[in-house]
Amino acid sequence: MSAEAADRVAAVAGSRPSTPLQTSWFEFLLDGSLLEKHLQKSNPDPTPVQLIIQFLEQASKPSVNEQNQVQPPADNRRNRTLKLLALKVAAHMKWDLDLLEKGLTIPVLNMLLNELLCVSKVPPGVKHVDLDLSTLPPTTAMAVIIYNRWAIRTIVLSSFPEKQTKPGPHQMNMINIVQQEKEMTENILTVLKEQAADSISVLEGALRLKKDFYVHTLRTLDLLTADAAANGETESSTAGLCISADELHCQVHYDLGAIFFHQGCTDQSAYEKARDHFRQTKELLKKLDLTVHVHLDEKRLAGYWNACKAMTGDCDPGDPQMTPYDQINSLIRAHNYQAVIEAFIKDNVIRSLPNHFRRSVHREFLYKVQQGESGLDEVCHKLCVCNAVRDALEGEVLSVRFQQLLLKPSKRMVDFILEVCTRSLEKDRPSETPRRNMANFMKTLCESLEDLSLVFVVSSHKLFMELLKEEERKVLVEQMRKRSATINLSAKPLPSFYDIPASASVNIGQLEQQLILLLEPRRIRQILIELHGIAERPFWRVNSKWEVPPDYINVILGIKDNLTKDLVYILMAKGLHCILIKDFFHARQLFSACLELVTEFSPKLRQVMLNEMLLLEVRAHETMAAEGSKERPPPDLVSRVRGYLEMRIHDLPLRQVVGEECVAFMLNWRENDYLTLQVPPSLVMNNPYIKLGQLLASTCKELPGPKESRRTAKELWDVVVQICSVSIQHKRNSDGRVGLIKQRESSMGILHRSKFITFIKKLREPLVLTTLISLFVRLHSIVRDDIVNEVTAEHLSIWPSSLPNIQAVDVEAVAVTVKELVTYALTLNPNNQSWLITQADIYFVTNQYSAALNLYLQAGAVCSDFFTKAVPPDIYTDQVLKRMIKCCSMMNCHTQVAVLCQFLREVDYMTAFKALQEQSSHDAMDSFYDYIWDVTILEYLTHIHHKRGEAEKRQIAIKAIGQAELNTSNPEEVLQLAAQKRKKKFLQAMAKLYF
């Protein structure tokens, strides 16, 4: 370099801030004293862990000979020095396995500790378990102990969720270094797990040694390279860093406790060994004044200790040193469940147990009940109550399980709730917040109980009186009175909370309450007579929940006699309510009494009641059919329905719902001949429901039929398109152009869409529903205009393939209707294969892939006895299979994609290979290889895993391909049987995943 150039470099360097350069690894080879100086810095760069990685990386680099062949790393002075430098750095870190494990990968740490064994002169080729540690030099014995400690710690750590891969030495400059390192890690773990018993034996032998231990330091490692090594100084009893026997034993006990605890999930007795080792660890920690060489997490030790005591039942309930956790676990193991409940009640005051622990105890008992243990139901209920009171005291939301408990409580359970509430408040000086929260809980309790006698038990309790002010109690009483209309009609009248002197107002109140609760017509009439004798006012207004249809209100209120008016109104309102809750027995009694009453003075009301009684019988029969009854309706009922549809009485108030349900009734019981041939034309023109019924019946009769017989299908199509259409107005914009305005509120059809949907949901005949689903699926496909993502259904060919005025159709209304219709149909028959496929397609085209796959699998399951038989090809068509493949692909379940590609009539190798190339798959990957029968795909799998260096997965693929039944030389029948067997098992496995 010229002088001018040097000046320029110096000038540039001087203009920048001075940043110290990182020391390179080779500089430590050139200067033997540099390493110690570097490590003594406060923040050395590179760090000690980075130095170990660099030294071992360079020492393990392969060499290339003259023939350009890759050779293993040479055993020369350079590489030996690099390995020794790595050991010196570890010695500087005092062989702290916690630090080394955090910074180094398993392959690097394995390489480092194997080098330690080598320099410590551990006899090669001899198992560690066969060595007598007491006869070995101190540093040699310590190297064996360190290695075996690391071995069992690595087994434990590898069972935890895998962390991000740390940088490690790259032994070969290949693209798939990460896969190679993963394979190396798996191989090392396999060896360590095979030798776990030997490692445990070595460490248990170390615990029997009572002398101090010595481990290599920088000085002893230096002596290994000098001539002084010949005099045996490194093997003497005083060479190296001294570690007391108690310190080493403390650390070894902890490590052994961890490995035994890890083994406890498969061997219950291992928990006892773990407990003993952790006890020794705790005792040694108390004994040691300084724990310089003990590196363990005392919080984790405490957790291990508590877990071991819980798993082994090593708890004395009388021990004052026991934690609350120990006490609860001890009581559960002793089956002293009453004491557990007592402990929970006491904890409601002191609150030492966290809520998550209390809930976990409750879940444990629920699990025992599910497993069939008898006599624990009451314990579960009481624990639930204790936890609910604790939640209430802390202002938390009450659990759903407690609210379910209040649906059918017993007097005994309510008494227990009150006892827990009383005992859970501090007796000396209870703070205001818990008292307020408890008062709210008591009010909630009253509002949740339906049995009025139990409400009285709560409201008359001493704690209730103390916590709630008089005004609050009065408001609650009024709420109970208002709510009494919805209470179980056979319950007793609400008892009064206060001693009120008897008076006329009290008598009226009690009679009104009985009027609300009673269902017996004679008693209702008797109470109304008594009420009218006390006061003359409209008693049909007593309960705001009493409602009669608006069509009848004027006729009923036109009755001149007030008593008769009240009686007719109340009998009809109560009867309608009973129909609503499906109490048809009482509804018949009430309507019969009302019919008998109105027959005396009003022919119009008589016909109204006959119509309502017809609707009652229709609903009663439809309810029985919905519950599984196959009994056809009696001829008399069918005749009455026909009579109603043909009825012509002027000035008679008619409810549209009666005609609607009569038409649905005829369709549901396949009275298609009447609807298509016998119903008068005038009714078809004037009643939209009859017109719809006639078109549906005619279309169903023609299925399947020739093309010429689809005239009625076209008529039904036109009617439904009109229902789903909106009026369009043309409006000129400010710029002069004409735009379209859709009026969504005004329907152009014979019915509003909402009424049409209500009518559809009264149908349950499969063919009628299939016809409607088919119609709406075709309409949906036309308005969406998406050929690739079409929804499929049966009988699509009978409908037109285009619309003359597609702009008038409300696209959103069609989409909502088809979803509602299919969902409703599946509530009636969840096993209808066609409906399941249609619903799956709807989810598929709206990108809900998990739900779509679930339904595709359901469709296959119901037609194959849960995949014990082959799924018919008309169910799993190529289109359905391709959609299942896309669902799996969109959910990143690529192995499932590859398996499903075999199901197609022609295997889709391109899609299968592309899926198997994906390295991030959210399915079980190699566990699905047993379901692959296509040899080409299995061969590709073997190639892919070999390329990635995934030896274990490659072996699984090779094992799958090596099965005798997949041999391509087998007869076609054998290959088909092998494929069918794997298809069934795969689909069953998928069902378990997605159902």
Side-chain angles (χ1 to χ4, degrees):
M1 182 185 292
S2 67
E4 291 180 2
D7 288 342
R8 282 196 303 272
V9 171
V12 172
S15 65
R16 297 174 185 161
S18 177
T19 303
L21 295 174
Q22 188 182 65
T23 309
S24 297
W25 62 270
F26 62 84
E27 295 181 53
F28 297 100
L29 283 174
L30 303 175
D31 184 356
S33 62
L34 180 60
L35 180 63
E36 196 164 351
K37 294 175 185 176
H38 179 82
L39 294 174
Q40 287 172 354
K41 294 178 183 177
S42 56
N43 292 303
D45 185 20
T47 63
V49 166
Q50 290 172 339
L51 277 177
I52 293 175
I53 293 171
Q54 291 176 14
F55 291 149
L56 292 180
E57 179 181 4
Q58 296 301 321
S60 60
K61 273 190 174 179
S63 58
V64 180
N65 62 12
E66 295 177 357
Q67 287 77 31
N68 207 25
Q69 294 174 333
V70 177
Q71 300 292 320
D75 184 16
N76 53 30
R77 183 180 176 188
R78 168 190 175 274
N79 288 347
R80 285 195 297 272
T81 305
L82 284 169
K83 291 176 184 177
L84 192 63
L85 288 172
L87 290 174
K88 285 184 177 182
V89 178
H92 169 77
M93 297 169 71
K94 297 181 180 177
W95 305 100
D96 184 347
L97 288 179
D98 278 346
L99 293 177
L100 292 171
E101 287 163 347
K102 286 176 185 175
L104 303 176
T105 61
I106 290 175
V108 176
L109 196 43
N110 180 60
M111 194 188 312
L112 178 71
L113 295 181
N114 272 296
E115 192 59 31
L116 173 65
L117 294 173
C118 183
V119 302
S120 300
K121 300 180 181 178
V122 174
V126 180
K127 287 186 176 181
H128 293 179
V129 73
D130 296 332
L131 296 172
D132 184 355
L133 297 181
S134 62
T135 63
L136 294 176
T139 51
T140 305
M142 194 62 187
V144 174
I145 292 170
I146 290 173
Y147 179 85
N148 286 283
R149 277 187 56 219
W150 169 75
I152 64 171
R153 288 163 64 98
T154 303
I155 294 169
V156 174
L157 287 173
S158 68
S159 66
F160 299 157
E162 189 176 350
K163 297 181 180 178
Q164 188 175 0
T165 306
K166 309 181 195 75
H170 308 313
Q171 298 188 359
M172 296 181 69
N173 188 18
M174 297 172 62
I175 299 174
N176 59 346
I177 287 175
V178 175
Q179 285 82 3
Q180 183 188 13
E181 187 166 304
K182 188 176 179 182
E183 183 182 347
M184 289 171 59
T185 302
E186 289 175 356
N187 292 338
I188 292 168
L189 281 172
T190 301
V191 174
L192 294 181
K193 288 174 182 177
E194 288 173 356
Q195 298 175 354
D198 289 352
S199 294
I200 292 170
S201 297
V202 169
L203 295 176
E204 287 175 340
L207 293 175
R208 291 191 287 271
L209 300 178
K210 303 304 179 184
K211 61 183 180 181
D212 291 344
F213 295 83
Y214 292 85
V215 66
H216 277 299
T217 61
L218 272 74
R219 178 174 176 272
T220 58
L221 291 170
D222 271 332
L223 291 174
L224 291 172
T225 60
D227 293 336
N231 63 20
E233 184 180 345
T234 58
E235 298 178 11
S236 72
S237 60
T238 57
L241 176 66
C242 179
I243 298 174
S244 70
D246 285 345
E247 283 182 299
L248 183 72
H249 288 174
C250 182
Q251 189 71 64
V252 170
H253 275 303
Y254 178 77
D255 293 336
L256 285 171
I259 188 68
F260 282 125
F261 189 87
H262 169 74
Q263 294 174 349
C265 58
T266 55
D267 178 12
Q268 185 69 24
S269 64
Y271 285 123
E272 296 179 3
K273 296 178 183 177
R275 175 201 61 199
D276 295 337
H277 283 292
F278 288 132
R279 179 185 287 119
Q280 293 288 338
T281 307
K282 288 164 63 73
E283 291 174 359
L284 286 168
L285 277 175
K286 291 178 184 176
K287 180 180 176 183
L288 291 168
D289 296 327
L290 295 173
T291 56
V292 179
H293 303 297
V294 177
H295 305 285
L296 55 84
D297 185 344
E298 293 196 34
K299 287 184 179 179
R300 183 178 285 271
L301 172 62
Y304 271 135
W305 176 244
N306 287 332
C308 285
K309 288 199 294 182
M311 297 305 295
T312 59
D314 184 24
C315 300
D316 180 8
D319 184 359
Q321 300 295 324
M322 282 183 65
T323 65
Y325 300 96
D326 294 337
Q327 291 174 350
I328 297 295
N329 285 320
S330 175
L331 292 171
I332 292 172
R333 285 188 170 277
H335 301 288
N336 192 352
Y337 302 138
Q338 186 57 41
V340 175
I341 295 165
E342 285 294 318
F344 270 46
I345 296 173
K346 290 176 183 176
D347 184 68
N348 282 351
V349 179
I350 59 177
R351 301 181 200 173
S352 62
L353 292 172
N355 280 330
H356 64 80
F357 175 75
R358 293 170 60 111
R359 293 189 189 108
S360 71
V361 172
H362 183 215
R363 285 196 297 271
E364 183 178 343
F365 278 94
L366 288 171
Y367 176 75
K368 289 181 178 182
V369 171
Q370 290 173 355
Q371 294 301 307
E373 289 194 35
S374 59
L376 293 183
D377 286 327
E378 186 176 359
V379 176
C380 286
H381 295 335
K382 289 187 175 181
L383 290 174
C384 181
V385 168
C386 293
N387 287 343
V389 173
R390 168 73 174 270
D391 290 337
L393 287 169
E394 295 179 348
E396 299 290 335
V397 178
L398 298 178
S399 68
V400 174
R401 200 169 290 278
F402 177 71
Q403 291 172 355
Q404 290 173 336
L405 189 63
L406 293 182
L407 294 177
K408 291 184 179 180
S410 62
K411 167 79 164 51
R412 185 177 174 186
M413 184 53 63
V414 172
D415 288 340
F416 180 74
I417 294 172
L418 295 172
E419 178 193 346
V420 175
C421 291
T422 305
R423 294 176 58 188
S424 297
L425 282 176
E426 297 177 23
K427 289 187 169 60
D428 300 334
R429 288 186 177 181
S431 60
E432 186 58 31
T433 302
R435 286 179 63 84
R436 192 70 258 160
N437 289 338
M438 184 62 79
N440 291 333
F441 177 71
M442 300 292 276
K443 287 198 288 186
T444 302
L445 189 60
C446 283
E447 292 166 356
S448 302
L449 293 171
E450 293 191 357
D451 190 334
L452 297 178
S453 63
L454 296 179
V455 175
F456 182 64
V457 171
V458 177
S459 62
S460 59
H461 195 270
K462 179 183 177 183
L463 185 64
F464 182 89
M465 298 294 187
E466 289 178 2
L467 294 177
L468 272 75
K469 298 175 183 176
E470 184 176 356
E471 187 62 32
E472 289 178 308
R473 297 201 297 271
K474 286 182 178 179
V475 170
L476 191 60
V477 170
E478 187 59 31
Q479 288 176 352
M480 293 298 100
R481 289 187 184 281
K482 288 180 180 178
R483 200 191 71 182
S484 61
T486 61
I487 298 297
N488 182 2
L489 299 175
S490 63
K492 296 178 181 178
L494 180 67
S496 176
F497 296 153
Y498 308 100
D499 294 325
I500 304 174
S503 65
S505 62
V506 174
N507 290 335
I508 289 177
Q510 290 174 344
L511 289 171
E512 285 178 346
Q513 190 178 58
Q514 291 183 49
L515 185 65
I516 290 170
L517 298 177
L518 285 171
L519 287 175
E520 188 183 353
R522 289 177 181 273
R523 186 76 181 116
I524 291 170
R525 181 171 185 163
Q526 183 182 348
I527 289 173
L528 277 173
I529 292 171
E530 290 183 36
L531 285 169
H532 277 273
I534 298 173
E536 194 62 39
R537 65 185 190 210
F539 289 101
W540 60 269
R541 293 180 176 175
V542 166
N543 188 355
S544 60
K545 298 289 179 70
W546 286 338
E547 293 179 354
V548 298
D551 310 84
Y552 304 154
I553 191 75
N554 290 331
V555 180
I556 295 174
L557 295 184
I559 299 172
K560 295 180 180 180
D561 182 66
N562 290 332
L563 174 60
T564 306
K565 183 195 304 179
D566 286 344
L567 187 55
V568 171
Y569 188 100
I570 292 170
L571 289 173
M572 180 179 283
K574 282 179 175 285
L576 291 169
H577 174 72
C578 286
I579 294 175
L580 195 64
I581 63 173
K582 299 182 180 178
D583 183 2
F584 300 114
F585 174 77
H586 285 112
R588 287 188 184 96
Q589 285 187 334
L590 291 161
F591 277 2
S592 297
C594 191
L595 176 64
E596 184 181 347
L597 177 64
V598 298
T599 300
E600 299 173 1
F601 65 89
S602 174
K604 187 181 290 187
L605 275 175
R606 177 181 178 278
Q607 189 58 52
V608 164
M609 288 311 304
L610 287 171
N611 293 345
E612 289 300 319
M613 292 183 76
L614 172 63
L615 180 61
L616 160 64
E617 297 302 329
V618 166
R619 285 188 174 172
H621 203 84
E622 288 296 289
T623 300
M624 288 170 57
E627 292 172 354
S629 173
K630 302 295 182 183
E631 184 181 350
R632 283 192 62 80
D636 172 61
L637 180 57
V638 176
S639 298
R640 287 168 62 192
V641 170
R642 290 182 181 184
Y644 177 83
L645 292 175
E646 298 172 13
M647 183 173 57
R648 294 190 190 90
I649 299 178
H650 297 290
D651 299 328
L652 179 68
L654 296 174
R655 278 215 291 163
Q656 198 170 38
V657 67
V658 184
E660 177 187 354
E661 297 215 12
C662 284
V663 173
F665 175 84
M666 299 296 275
L667 285 170
N668 288 337
W669 292 103
R670 299 185 183 181
E671 295 288 336
N672 294 338
D673 288 339
Y674 172 77
L675 289 171
T676 54
L677 302 173
Q678 300 173 28
V679 66
S682 59
L683 286 178
V684 177
M685 298 299 297
N686 298 326
N687 190 322
Y689 294 107
I690 294 178
K691 183 174 180 63
L692 266 176
Q694 185 188 60
L695 291 173
L696 279 167
S698 300
T699 305
C700 291
K701 279 183 69 176
E702 293 175 0
L703 287 176
K707 194 171 183 180
E708 294 76 20
S709 65
R710 294 177 186 168
R711 180 179 55 82
T712 53
K714 177 66 167 64
E715 289 180 29
L716 178 61
W717 169 271
D718 291 339
V719 167
V720 173
V721 168
Q722 286 294 310
I723 290 172
C724 294
S725 297
V726 290
S727 58
I728 296 179
Q729 296 179 359
H730 295 273
K731 181 179 180 182
R732 191 172 298 279
N733 299 329
S734 57
D735 58 0
R737 290 181 297 177
V738 175
L740 296 177
I741 300 177
K742 290 187 177 183
Q743 299 291 334
R744 289 184 178 272
E745 298 299 324
S746 59
S747 175
M748 299 169 60
I750 60 175
L751 278 176
H752 281 279
R753 192 181 69 88
S754 58
K755 291 183 178 179
F756 178 58
I757 293 292
T758 304
F759 173 68
I760 287 175
K761 291 186 176 178
K762 290 174 180 172
L763 302 172
R764 51 176 182 75
E765 164 56 32
L767 186 58
V768 175
L769 289 171
T770 298
T771 303
L772 284 168
I773 289 171
S774 174
L775 188 154
F776 273 100
V777 164
R778 170 50 63 88
L779 184 57
H780 184 250
S781 298
I782 292 173
V783 297
R784 281 184 78 250
D785 194 21
D786 185 354
I787 299 173
V788 177
N789 290 322
E790 283 193 346
V791 180
T792 57
E794 292 182 282
H795 311 305
L796 288 177
S797 61
I798 69 173
W799 311 112
S801 56
S802 61
L803 281 173
N805 189 12
I806 196 169
Q807 288 181 323
V809 178
D810 189 341
V811 179
E812 184 182 344
V814 173
V816 170
T817 304
V818 72
K819 288 178 186 175
E820 283 191 41
L821 178 53
V822 180
T823 302
Y824 165 71
L826 285 171
T827 61
L828 298 176
N829 182 6
N831 295 330
N832 187 297
Q833 302 144 24
S834 172
W835 299 346
L836 286 168
I837 294 289
T838 302
Q839 180 79 303
D841 286 344
I842 292 170
Y843 282 129
F844 180 83
V845 300
T846 53
N847 302 328
Q848 299 177 68
Y849 298 111
S850 178
L853 185 58
N854 176 292
L855 286 159
Y856 285 133
L857 288 167
Q858 282 191 48
V862 297
C863 64
S864 63
D865 290 342
F866 197 75
F867 304 117
T868 56
K869 303 173 184 174
V871 180
D874 60 328
I875 300 298
Y876 277 0
T877 62
D878 269 11
Q879 179 181 342
V880 169
L881 290 169
K882 286 177 181 177
R883 290 187 171 186
M884 292 171 72
I885 288 169
K886 184 175 180 182
C887 289
C888 293
S889 179
M890 297 305 292
M891 294 187 292
N892 289 331
C893 298
H894 301 297
T895 317
Q896 295 172 13
V897 169
V899 178
L900 282 169
C901 284
Q902 305 171 107
F903 283 58
L904 297 167
R905 286 184 175 83
E906 292 187 8
V907 180
D908 187 351
Y909 290 114
M910 186 177 294
T911 303
F913 292 168
K914 185 179 178 182
L916 293 173
Q917 287 171 5
E918 298 286 345
Q919 295 191 31
S920 175
S921 188
H922 294 171
D923 55 22
M925 297 183 71
D926 48 22
S927 68
F928 285 112
Y929 291 178
D930 285 339
Y931 307 127
I932 300 176
W933 65 87
D934 189 281
V935 175
T936 306
I937 294 176
L938 286 170
E939 286 174 345
Y940 184 77
L941 266 174
T942 308
H943 165 71
I944 281 286
H945 290 315
H946 177 70
K947 187 177 177 182
R948 293 177 186 165
E950 297 170 344
E952 190 173 336
K953 291 181 180 178
R954 180 170 174 268
Q955 285 302 317
I956 295 171
I958 290 172
K959 183 180 177 183
I961 204 172
Q963 294 176 82
E965 57 189 351
L966 298 184
N967 191 323
T968 52
S969 302
N970 288 338
E972 185 63 25
E973 296 81 4
V974 174
L975 294 174
Q976 285 297 324
L977 282 172
Q980 286 301 326
K981 182 177 78 172
R982 284 161 177 75
K983 279 184 181 181
K984 293 171 187 175
K985 288 186 176 179
F986 172 71
L987 291 171
Q988 286 171 352
M990 291 284 282
K992 289 177 182 176
L993 281 175
Y994 290 100
F995 284 2

